[in-house]
Amino acid sequence: MKLLAVHPSGLMYTKVFLRLEPLGLEIVAGAARAAGHDVRLIDLQVEDHAAFHDLVRRWRPDAIAFSCNYLANVPEVVDLARSTKELLPGCFVFVGGHSASFTAPDILEHGEGAIDCVLKGEGEAVVADLLDAIEHDRGAISTVPGAVTADGEGPPPRFVEKLDDARPARDLLRHRKKYFIGVLDPCASIEFARGCPWDCTFCSAWTFYGRSYRTATPERVVEELAHIAEPGIFIVDDVAFVKAEHGFEIGEGLARRGIRKEYYLETRGDVLLRNKEVFKFWATLGLKYMFIGLEAIDEEGLKRYRKRVSLDRNFEALEYARSLGIVVAINLIADPSWDRERFEVIRNWCMEVPEIVNISVNAPYHGTETWHTEGRKIHNRDYRLFDIQHAVLPTKLPLPEFYAELVKTQQVLNRKHLGFRALYGVAGISTRLLLRGQTNFLRMLWKFNSVFNPALQMADHARPVRYEMALPPPVEGKADPKKLYIHGPQGRKGRAVLDDASERFVDETRMGASLS
Ligand code: B12
Ligand code: SF4
């Protein structure tokens, strides 16, 4: 059958810093194609709604698969599903991805019949079963693992057997040159591992994957990299190089085959310190940029977010990364309780460190622990505000002042990195990219002030809300961890790295936290 895979528009970030290929959707599309279906893919980060509707009219797909990783994209996906049904009433519309999995019944309700099914969990494991049921026996849809329809929920979602089986259909993407992150332009994405064994309170990466951590074989990763044309590579793993041996084996394979790229990855400070040699080796292979989720610069904050790492270890990690010549970006979470003084302290601290600092706003997302503990305080139920750049919890400062302080902090940081000296260095990079016909990075340099703007952020709060987010039911005592998961937890054995690393980690932080 004819399947159209659709990725929704980008959020605020993608207007400035980056735009990345929709790897998860490419994997789902790859699995559908491997099962014999005729598959096309459209990415609305780089094409508009008119192009989507035009494609639907001309190609007339039998089924449409929307990817909905981000909560902020829920209204857009629901609207697109509705307009699709108007154009093609017989077309089967389903939605999958991270946020769709956590909000399945709500999404179906918003769709009022325009969404036939939400497929929770890893899409590539079951998409062929769903398409088979759509084509031959619609009654069997309810037996597909992870399928949620108006009639109820099927068996629990199923993991793909081996990560090696996840084959992204990269060739289906029509504008590959549009994807970039900073100076890595163009940039492709790849997955070395999936999941996270830690359990930070504000994050849903661990609840989606049942706190498991799985790796693709080094041979498979090297083979895939060998076939990627882009010179820049974004490694999408939640925490890169948790297992030292895995990182070494991939690196050695790349070195043997003479594969040379520039890499960006995200990791934790303690992982970097534990596996220093791997990162050092990768710096020689082209690891240029690294993102570390520091989140807080005080012990109390780290504890509140259950980062399970101490401040000293984080600072030590930054120093080590500097010594390798890797450009590091760190993330800090701005809490709605911040007042002017706190913002000032943060600005001063940020100016003292050489790293690029990114500030996000603490918000309770579905699938996180804070959703259950803080979710009922949400004062604006517009999904579109959930892009970690908007405050959805009550702020201590009046909201316009909170945004003014936030954007002032971000502007100071932006100027710090795009000051004259930095621009001088950037000139060479821009010329090199322009010579290759790449303009994404250059365009990004001038966009900051038109996107990060307190007045615009306030205006976003005033938009009419068509689809209201349902709030979590009240919890008595602690939230039941089992109810948080999409893929059920695999127990200690599933968290393969933990038997060794996390036990040591608990000792290191001396927080006495138990990982059971
Ligand atoms: C890499 C990553 C990014 C990258 C790249 C995103 C991209 N466009 O590819 C960057 C750095 C840009 C990014 C940015 C942001 N991210 Co991000 N990101 C991730 C991360 C770590 C991995 C995503 C990934 O590529 N995984 C690998 C691929 C293979 O998996 P996948 O895309 O999830 O797809 C699988 C399933 O979801 C499903 N699936 C996906 N689509 C479909 C479609 C159908 C039809 C079906 C059936 C199944 C299906 O099957 C796929 C294969 O198994 C996740 C955490 C996580 N582990 O999910 C956070 C995560 C998705 N990001 C998050 C957030 C908040 C953001 C930001 C808003 C802020 C930030 N953290 O920087 C921005 C906004 C991005 C934007 N769109 O503008 C949150 C989402 C919260 C939410 N509920 O909305 C997550 C869950 C992390 C967290 N802290 O909890 N992100
Ligand atoms: S370590 Fe990172 S990916 Fe893992 S739970 Fe914490 S924030 Fe999420």
Side-chain angles (χ1 to χ4, degrees):
M1 64 196 292
K2 290 200 285 186
L3 172 72
L4 177 60
V6 188
H7 190 281
S9 313
L11 311 185
M12 212 163 137
Y13 267 97
T14 59
K15 293 189 185 129
V16 182
F17 301 112
L18 46 85
R19 191 184 307 119
L20 288 159
E21 74 170 306
L23 188 66
L25 188 63
E26 286 174 357
I27 291 175
V28 176
R33 193 166 61 176
H37 300 283
D38 184 5
V39 185
R40 291 195 190 178
L41 192 152
I42 183 165
D43 181 3
L44 304 179
Q45 294 179 103
V46 299
E47 298 196 53
D48 58 17
H49 285 192
F52 164 75
H53 289 123
D54 194 44
L55 186 56
V56 171
R57 258 184 236 106
R58 277 188 295 110
W59 194 50
R60 306 183 68 79
D62 303 303
I64 296 200
F66 287 103
S67 180
C68 189
N69 273 347
Y70 295 100
L71 211 49
N73 285 126
V74 166
E76 181 188 11
V77 167
V78 174
D79 280 340
L80 288 174
R82 285 169 178 259
S83 56
T84 300
K85 282 284 186 181
E86 275 165 28
L87 288 173
L88 285 184
C91 178
F92 188 93
V93 174
F94 64 106
V95 185
H98 195 98
S99 284
S101 301
F102 286 111
T103 57
D106 302 345
I107 290 191
L108 290 174
E109 206 179 307
H110 296 318
E112 293 179 329
I115 297 170
D116 297 295
C117 171
V118 173
L119 196 52
K120 290 184 357 179
E122 289 183 351
E124 73 272 39
V126 287
V127 68
D129 297 352
L130 178 68
L131 294 175
D132 191 53
I134 297 168
E135 205 170 10
H136 300 115
D137 177 10
R138 295 220 169 181
I141 291 174
S142 57
T143 64
V144 175
V148 185
T149 64
D151 300 330
E153 190 155 347
R158 194 169 70 207
F159 270 145
V160 64
E161 234 163 76
K162 300 192 283 313
L163 269 201
D164 285 13
D165 296 342
R167 301 270 167 179
R170 296 181 191 274
D171 57 300
L172 292 181
L173 216 53
R174 303 203 281 191
H175 303 281
R176 289 206 64 93
K177 287 198 158 179
K178 294 273 187 191
Y179 302 96
F180 78 106
I181 174 161
V183 296
L184 300 192
D185 179 13
C187 182
S189 298
I190 191 165
E191 200 181 23
F192 292 179
R194 199 179 274 185
C196 176
W198 282 272
D199 59 350
C200 304
T201 55
F202 60 89
C203 180
S204 54
W206 60 281
T207 54
F208 186 81
Y209 291 117
R211 219 168 151 190
S212 62
Y213 180 80
R214 293 164 297 154
T215 51
T217 61
E219 300 74 37
R220 160 82 174 77
V221 173
V222 172
E223 199 49 43
E224 197 175 338
L225 276 166
H227 285 93
I228 293 178
E230 285 83 351
I233 300 289
F234 184 112
I235 301 167
V236 301
D237 303 9
D238 292 302
V239 186
F241 301 146
V242 172
K243 287 183 170 179
E245 203 186 330
H246 187 240
F248 271 126
E249 283 175 15
I250 297 172
E252 278 156 7
L254 294 174
R256 259 197 311 276
R257 298 201 34 187
I259 298 170
R260 180 92 204 163
K261 306 263 186 198
E262 291 196 330
Y263 300 93
Y264 170 103
L265 58 76
E266 307 195 353
T267 196
R268 293 172 49 102
D270 51 348
V271 169
L272 172 62
L273 289 178
R274 200 161 51 229
N275 297 334
K276 279 181 173 171
E277 292 306 313
V278 183
F279 289 90
K280 192 170 170 189
F281 179 38
W282 271 79
T284 69
L285 294 171
L287 174 58
K288 287 273 187 307
Y289 308 92
M290 191 192 290
F291 185 94
I292 299 182
L294 221 62
E295 327 303 2
I297 54 168
D298 59 317
E299 291 287 3
E300 196 204 318
L302 289 175
K303 216 165 178 171
R304 185 160 12 107
Y305 299 135
R306 207 192 293 122
K307 275 303 280 191
R308 299 186 191 273
V309 67
S310 70
L311 211 51
D312 291 349
R313 293 290 275 166
N314 267 348
F315 292 157
E316 197 185 330
L318 292 182
E319 242 179 84
Y320 182 65
R322 275 173 219 151
S323 76
L324 296 179
I326 296 172
V327 177
V328 181
I330 55 186
N331 188 64
L332 294 182
I333 302 178
D335 197 78
S337 66
W338 283 10
D339 54 17
R340 282 215 181 77
E341 288 72 40
R342 188 68 192 151
F343 273 109
E344 187 63 33
V345 168
I346 296 292
R347 273 195 292 275
N348 291 338
W349 182 83
C350 294
M351 291 307 286
E352 278 166 20
V353 296
E355 281 75 27
I356 299 168
V357 187
N358 178 60
I359 312 252
S360 56
V361 183
N362 194 10
Y365 280 81
H366 290 76
T368 65
E369 227 172 276
T370 36
W371 167 250
H372 294 277
T373 53
E374 308 284 304
R376 295 187 56 77
K377 295 186 202 147
I378 289 171
H379 62 71
N380 191 321
R381 290 158 62 177
D382 186 349
Y383 290 93
R384 295 168 297 181
L385 298 179
F386 283 70
D387 61 354
I388 67 166
Q389 289 306 310
H390 289 84
V392 293
L393 290 175
T395 48
K396 187 169 178 186
L397 285 171
L399 195 56
E401 284 177 42
F402 180 85
Y403 280 134
E405 285 293 324
L406 177 71
V407 173
K408 184 173 161 193
T409 312
Q410 288 165 329
Q411 270 164 347
V412 167
L413 298 177
N414 192 45
R415 273 202 299 277
K416 170 180 146 191
H417 298 295
L418 292 179
F420 282 115
R421 266 189 39 208
L423 267 183
Y424 184 72
V426 153
I429 296 168
S430 304
T431 316
R432 185 163 49 84
L433 295 176
L434 276 176
L435 287 175
R436 288 208 306 253
Q438 289 299 132
T439 55
N440 297 309
F441 173 67
L442 202 61
R443 280 174 213 253
M444 152 205 136
L445 288 178
W446 310 110
K447 274 192 185 162
F448 186 88
N449 285 341
S450 63
V451 175
F452 288 79
N453 174 329
L456 291 181
Q457 266 157 304
M458 280 309 294
D460 290 341
H461 282 261
R463 289 179 293 191
V465 180
R466 185 159 176 207
Y467 307 111
E468 274 207 339
M469 180 185 285
L471 298 185
V475 273
E476 308 247 328
K478 263 186 97 185
D480 177 2
K482 284 195 201 79
K483 290 201 180 128
L484 292 172
Y485 296 106
I486 293 298
H487 287 280
Q490 313 292 300
R492 272 195 177 287
K493 215 164 139 255
R495 305 201 308 261
V497 285
L498 289 189
D499 296 330
D500 164 30
S502 75
E503 294 301 353
R504 207 150 28 102
F505 169 73
V506 170
D507 288 338
E508 274 171 9
T509 57
R510 286 188 296 279
M511 285 181 183
S514 144
L515 283 176
S516 57

